[in-house]
Amino acid sequence: MKDNKKAIVTGCPGQDASYLCELLVEKGYSVYGVSRRSTRENSNMLFVENLTNNRYNAVTMDVTDPSGVSDLVKNVQPDEYYNLAAMSHVGQSFKEPASTLMADGMAVTYALEAIKNYAPNCKFYQASTSELYGKVEEGLKLDENSEFKPRSPYGAAKMYAHNMVSIYRDSYGIHGSCGILFNHESERRGLNFVTRKITTGVARVKCGHERHVVLGNIDAIRDWGHARDYVYGMWLMLQQENPDDYVLATGETASVREALNYVCDLAELNMDEVYKINPKFMRPAEVPYLCGDPSKAKKVLGWRPQHNWKSLLELMYKSDYRTAAREVYTYR
Ligand code: G4F
């Protein structure tokens, strides 16, 4: 690797950026970690900033501000740009469809324009998503050639971004790659995503802090892997000579119900006594089933996920249990 490669990483308060920044600093990059002022206090961000000393540069910027994005690219002259900033909660995107389009769609065009104009050799990674596929037949394993039919404002905005990367690749020769990532979770996952709601919720019930875990559609089926494995896949994509799109997934599925049951078993609790359903967590349109086929990433990138949904949930539950056990008892 050339001396002191430079990378811009957006979405720095998030789970994925925290793992990616750690990886890049470890590999000797100078990292410019972008976050909005309002999200700087997030614990993942502070964790990264503390850990990474002088190779990590915290940048406060909004990715929906085109002049901020182009100034950053012009000044930094990055070798790699990882676009992880997004309004990433699918359910919430129904409540704020227009701002989701700005953050998850338009911001990608601003980044691509900045790269085209000021750093045309910079390699670009776009966080695409399995939400692009929408409602598919159960049992199908989805790959890079499967049809995209998004069912949420989030999915639609991400589809626009996905198409723009391919357009800039074909039209201007930009090295832009999209990772079509299936659900990826970790001990750092936001508390409003279902795996973390389950692991933290069950841990809190076990410790007596709460009575129930309250969920929405527990019949949904997902392909869950560990975020640390997936950010390594992002990095691998940008080390290739040619840009391309890759599915990252485990190829295994479980329903939300199975995930909950598994975590309740770990906690030695009876699932039926632990959960409640609240329709407020149901979505206007659901994606009932998603399972990925990561064959291309395995073959071309040599990528292998180290975790499946069970080992992932076990790590998450143990971490959340340690936290809950330290908390003062609040419920009886
Ligand atoms: O954990 P989730 O909110 O993840 P979702 O919607 O699949 O999206 C995540 O993965 C995508 C990759 O495919 C990313 F692009 C996206 O940014 C995000 O990271 O929900 C998973 C499933 C859904 O079917 C949801 O309806 O769990 C169901 N669910 C049931 N009860 C719930 C709940 N989801 C949430 N967030 N909260 C619940 O109480």
Side-chain angles (χ1 to χ4, degrees), residues 88-90 129-131 154 181-183 185 189 192-195 197 214-218 220 222 224 256 281 283 286-287 290:
S88 63
H89 196 277
V90 177
T129 161
S130 55
E131 278 293 308
Y154 169 83
L181 268 50
F182 284 64
N183 297 50
E185 321 288 314
R189 185 55 145 153
N192 55 350
F193 293 92
V194 78
T195 52
K197 257 185 102 169
V214 185
L215 297 167
N217 173 22
I218 63 170
R222 288 292 184 273
W224 283 293
V256 174
F281 296 115
R283 295 167 184 181
E286 175 65 285
V287 170
L290 288 172

Side-chain angles (χ1 to χ4, degrees), residues 11 32 45 48 78 119-120 136 177 192 196 204 211 240 243 267 272 276 281 300 320-321:
Y32 295 79
M45 179 71 178
V48 173
V136 297
S177 295
N192 55 350
R196 190 77 199 285
R204 291 180 64 76
R211 271 185 225 232
Q240 305 307 302
D272 292 329
K276 278 192 167 176
F281 296 115
V300 180
D320 282 331
Y321 179 76

Side-chain angles (χ1 to χ4, degrees), residues 166-177:
S166 142
I167 288 166
Y168 274 64
R169 192 155 69 197
D170 296 346
S171 311
Y172 307 116
I174 301 290
H175 191 296
S177 295

Side-chain angles (χ1 to χ4, degrees), residues 25 61 74 96 114 146 206 219 232 243 251 278 301 305 326 331:
V25 167
M61 191 197 75
K74 203 186 323 180
E96 36 181 299
S146 305
K206 179 74 180 173
D219 294 321
Y232 183 60
N278 185 330
L301 305 177
R326 281 197 298 266
Y331 158 75

Side-chain angles (χ1 to χ4, degrees), residues 4 80 90 121 127 198 247 297:
N4 200 16
E80 296 170 14
V90 177
N121 294 323
I198 291 172
V247 162

